[in-house]
Structures are given as structure tokens and as C-alpha cells.
Amino acid sequence: MRWFAALAALLVLAVIGARHLPPEWDPRAPLDLTAPPNAMTALKLRWVRMSPKACFAAFETSHIAVTREPDRPSEVGCGLENAVRLPSTLWMSPTQPVVTCRLAAAWVLYERNTLVPAGVVGISHLGAQACRNVNRDRSGRLSEHATANALDIAAFRFRGLELRVARDWARDDAPLRGLRDGACRWFGAVLGPDYNAAHADHFHLDMGRARICR
Ligand SMILES: [Zn+2]
């Protein structure tokens, strides 16, 4: 539905002209990751996903400093390109992981619009880059982890409380399902315990081409 709204907005813009639009509604303006999301946000995030230039422009516009990692070519498809240290205001364990710029952009939107409003103050993760296939299979497709385009979250820390995906997913009173659903708004694929046994202890968030929310 968001897509229809964004397309309708674009159509209206084409008719009335986009000259005097505020930047958050102007499709040509870089995505401001700190602005309240609107119907244009999903469209701009899609552009950020396709274009590293648009991604770094988004961080610049948002005045969020990112530490860029040097590109690292790989002959087996496990290279690092346009990667940054995850710019997060949350406490992170073990450290701030290195991820693609597009994953970092989706993360900032997730953090600001889902995690912080839900009371999350910290994250435990299982890492981002790992040179391996999907589900650690011996053959098959390379995982989005191979290029640091995916991040696995094992636990969310609130004040005085930690919710672990492995232990607390089945609890009805735990807001883990809301955090999973919230992620689906920003990331391409979001896989958790409902997806398969390989994801019983974490949420997998990636910015690959597949769109799954389970
Ligand atoms: Zn994963």
C-alpha cells in the first residue's frame, strides 16, 4: 500500500511540478534519515538501496557521521564495497559491526522509528559479514552476509530487561514480534524463528533483493 501512496504522490508531483516542495516530499532530494517517515521515504530508501552515491548523500543530508571502511575485493564473492561501521546510538555488543551503506541506512530508520520508540537501549548481535552460503549450506547461493549486507540480532536490551530471541520469542507479553514486524518496514528480508530452525535464536535483517517478512 505504501507503494501506491508513493506512486500517487509522484504522479501528483509530476502534475503540479516539484519546484517548491519541502525536501522530505521532493523525490530528487536525498533521503533524510532523521525526518519523520512519509509516503516518499520507501521510494527514497529504494533508491538508496540501488545507489551507493544516494546512500552516502542520505547520511550527509541527515548529518549522521559514518566511518567508511576501505573496499576489499574478493574473488569468491565475499568482498566489501561501500561499507561503513554501523552508525548506531544504541549500546552494541560485541562491537559496532561493519555493514553496507544501504544496510546502515535501513538500520538508522529502524532504530529511530521502531527500536527507540519501543524503549530499546541496546542490541546484542551475532555479526554481519561472514563468507558463507545461505543457511551455511555447502553449496548453493551466497548469503547476504558474504558482502556484509546482513546483520543478525540475538537480543534486545531495555532498561533493566533483556529479551533474547532464542528464549523469549514464544512469550506473548514480549514485544519481540512488534520489533520483527517493525523491521519489515525498512529491510528487504527479515527472518526470525517463524521462518526456519536456522533462525530460532536471531533476527536476520538484510538489504538484498528478496522481500520476505517472517
Ligand atoms: Zn543472517
Side-chain angles (χ1 to χ4, degrees), residues 91-94 122-126 152-157 162 164:
W91 176 86
M92 286 255 165
S93 176
I123 293 290
S124 293
H125 66 84
L126 303 173
D152 292 340
I153 308 294
F156 297 86
R157 186 178 282 208
E162 188 183 65
R164 306 198 71 81

Side-chain angles (χ1 to χ4, degrees), residues 48-189:
V48 158
R49 210 156 143 181
M50 291 186 290
S51 156
K53 202 174 152 201
C55 187
F56 286 108
F59 279 104
E60 206 175 303
T61 292
S62 313
H63 303 289
I64 299 173
V66 281
T67 310
R68 207 170 158 167
E69 291 288 312
D71 285 358
R72 207 173 59 213
S74 157
E75 285 177 7
V76 291
C78 295
L80 212 56
E81 240 178 281
N82 301 303
V84 299
R85 217 152 256 288
L86 190 70
S88 174
T89 59
L90 302 178
W91 176 86
M92 286 255 165
S93 176
T95 50
Q96 308 281 135
V98 170
V99 298
T100 55
C101 182
R102 56 191 185 275
L103 188 81
W107 177 270
V108 171
L109 291 167
Y110 181 44
E111 181 173 307
R112 293 182 66 96
N113 299 294
T114 305
L115 298 182
V116 171
V120 174
V121 295
I123 293 290
S124 293
H125 66 84
L126 303 173
Q129 195 180 25
C131 191
R132 61 171 175 82
N133 289 327
V134 171
N135 291 331
R136 301 180 190 274
D137 291 342
R138 276 168 166 263
S139 59
R141 195 160 56 80
L142 269 178
S143 161
E144 292 296 327
H145 284 288
T147 51
N149 200 28
L151 177 65
D152 292 340
I153 308 294
F156 297 86
R157 186 178 282 208
F158 299 76
R159 288 197 193 289
L161 170 77
E162 188 183 65
L163 293 178
R164 306 198 71 81
V165 176
R167 185 190 61 201
D168 301 312
W169 177 251
R171 278 174 54 184
D172 283 340
D173 60 333
L176 286 174
R177 276 159 212 279
L179 298 183
R180 190 268 317 266
D181 294 348
C184 297
R185 188 171 172 197
W186 311 115
F187 296 93

